[in-house]
Amino acid sequence: MRAMVMTEVPDGVSRQALSLQQRPQPEPQGPFDVVVRVAAAGVCRSDLHILMGELPATVPHVLGHENSGWVHAVGPMVSAVQVGEPVLCYPFVSDGLSPPERRGIDSAAPARRTPGIDCDGGYADYLLVTERSLIPLPGDADLAAMATLSDAGLAAYRACRKAAAVLGPGSLAVVVGVGGLGHLAVQILRALCPARILAVDTREEARKLAVACGAHDACSPSDLDAVAGATADAVIDFVGSDESASSALAGLGFGGSYFAVGVGGTLSTPILQLVANETRIEGVYVGTYPELVELTQLALSGEVRPVVVPYALGDADQALRDLAGGSIVGRAVLVP
Ligand code: ZN
């Protein structure tokens, strides 16, 4: 079995930080009962955060938590999928028995495993998962594009669904960061609500992508105040820096909602401002299996079209470097 075990870190990454996270890799536990032959594995900024020691992760392990492929082999009790079937991999592997899972929140299951985060993931030819985490796909589905839905798309979808609840006709939604998640969020918002969409990104190519994806307008962060003022009904922040958070809060109108998806910065704001403006602040962490099923339908119907930048599996280091350097427009995927 070929797999890209990450031994090299991108430029500027702290090896000291990485070593802080190193501990013995546990034996795979839980209900792994399906081997998937990987079709594509998305390259996520979380992979960079893991390499930089900014996210808790068990290392060494094979990265890749955003995967699609074909069922290669199944255990004797598997009945939901068949060998050869194309599938999308929901990121969490668990048995479904805990109270959070009973409510559909597998991301909070106490005994969950997350291939690519705490056990071997999809930067490989084959991947161990469970039938409970798989979504069967049609035979003609674009598996490289579909892979991006399972993490980038799913987090964007959950944020957009929350935002859409407060976005009626004439409202303004601001999408901060038009990368792997943001370009999907623009399309999802168009599909879910009638809001006017303003996309914000430092990169001109990303702003062009946002408009191509359906944003009504796009600007750089430095122009946000001049373009929108304090009028946004919802801001979805895929950057998560100190600067993006503070400018997002400043851009909200009365009763506006700030949804944090990207991570890295710290939110700091006077409580008086929150009270006076009745500001709502909410974090968004990945999403549920049913939400991924809904998003899959949007993609299969052509309402959401992931923009994919393919790399060969052997070029994983280059893909991570390009992501760190900001040169990827859309979502990078590794194709074995
Ligand atoms: Zn991710």
Side-chain angles (χ1 to χ4, degrees):
M1 184 182 294
R2 185 170 53 124
M4 296 301 297
V5 178
M6 304 313 296
T7 55
E8 201 174 345
V9 292
D11 297 338
V13 166
S14 163
R15 288 176 183 279
Q16 185 181 11
L18 182 64
S19 68
L20 290 175
Q21 301 297 331
Q22 288 184 340
R23 54 184 189 268
Q25 185 178 15
E27 288 299 313
Q29 301 166 2
F32 293 100
D33 53 16
V34 176
V35 179
V36 166
R37 179 163 65 89
V38 176
V43 178
C44 180
R45 194 159 289 277
S46 295
D47 297 334
L48 290 175
H49 289 311
I50 289 171
L51 289 169
M52 295 166 78
E54 296 169 350
L55 277 183
T58 306
V59 292
H61 72 261
V62 179
L63 292 174
H65 55 276
E66 184 179 275
N67 306 303
S68 66
W70 300 270
V71 175
H72 179 73
V74 299
M77 300 299 287
V78 169
S79 61
V81 293
Q82 297 181 338
V83 171
E85 196 168 19
V87 288
L88 180 59
C89 304
Y90 179 66
F92 304 106
V93 171
S94 60
D95 60 16
L97 297 176
S98 69
E101 292 165 275
R102 298 286 191 187
R103 299 196 301 273
I105 315 295
D106 288 14
S107 59
R112 71 187 183 278
R113 304 301 301 269
T114 312
I117 301 290
D118 61 15
C119 57
D120 288 344
Y123 285 23
D125 290 316
Y126 296 93
L127 172 68
L128 261 179
V129 293
T130 174
E131 65 173 337
R132 186 172 183 277
S133 65
L134 295 175
I135 296 176
L137 296 172
D140 61 351
D142 178 345
L143 295 187
M146 298 305 283
T148 70
L149 302 182
S150 72
D151 177 51
L154 183 54
Y157 185 75
R158 186 166 176 82
C160 291
R161 235 170 161 259
K162 290 171 182 277
V166 298
L167 292 169
S171 60
L172 175 65
V174 177
V175 172
V176 179
V178 187
L181 286 77
H183 89 282
L184 293 170
V186 169
Q187 299 177 64
I188 294 165
L189 283 173
R190 286 300 301 258
L192 295 185
C193 73
R196 185 170 175 77
I197 300 167
L198 170 62
V200 180
D201 202 291
T202 55
R203 304 168 299 160
E204 186 181 1
E205 319 81 65
R207 297 195 294 270
K208 286 180 180 172
L209 173 62
V211 172
C213 286
H216 299 87
D217 201 357
C219 70
S220 68
S222 57
D223 293 335
L224 177 58
D225 184 45
V227 172
T231 61
D233 298 283
V235 178
I236 306 177
D237 184 359
F238 293 106
V239 175
S241 66
D242 294 5
E243 297 75 21
S244 70
S246 63
S247 70
L249 286 175
L252 287 174
F254 183 84
S257 300
Y258 170 74
F259 298 98
V261 187
V263 297
T266 300
L267 191 60
S268 176
T269 189
I271 293 173
L272 172 61
Q273 184 181 324
L274 301 181
V275 171
N277 293 325
E278 292 197 358
T279 301
R280 169 188 174 195
I281 297 175
E282 187 165 347
V284 179
Y285 179 62
V286 201
T288 67
Y289 183 98
E291 286 168 340
L292 185 54
V293 171
E294 293 174 7
L295 176 60
T296 299
Q297 289 306 311
L298 286 180
L300 291 175
S301 68
E303 289 180 84
V304 170
R305 298 174 186 271
V307 174
V308 167
V309 183
Y311 288 78
L313 176 59
D315 294 331
D317 281 345
Q318 188 60 51
L320 287 161
R321 282 203 178 83
D322 290 347
L323 178 62
S327 64
I328 292 172
V329 179
R331 188 66 156 185
V333 299
L334 302 179
V335 179

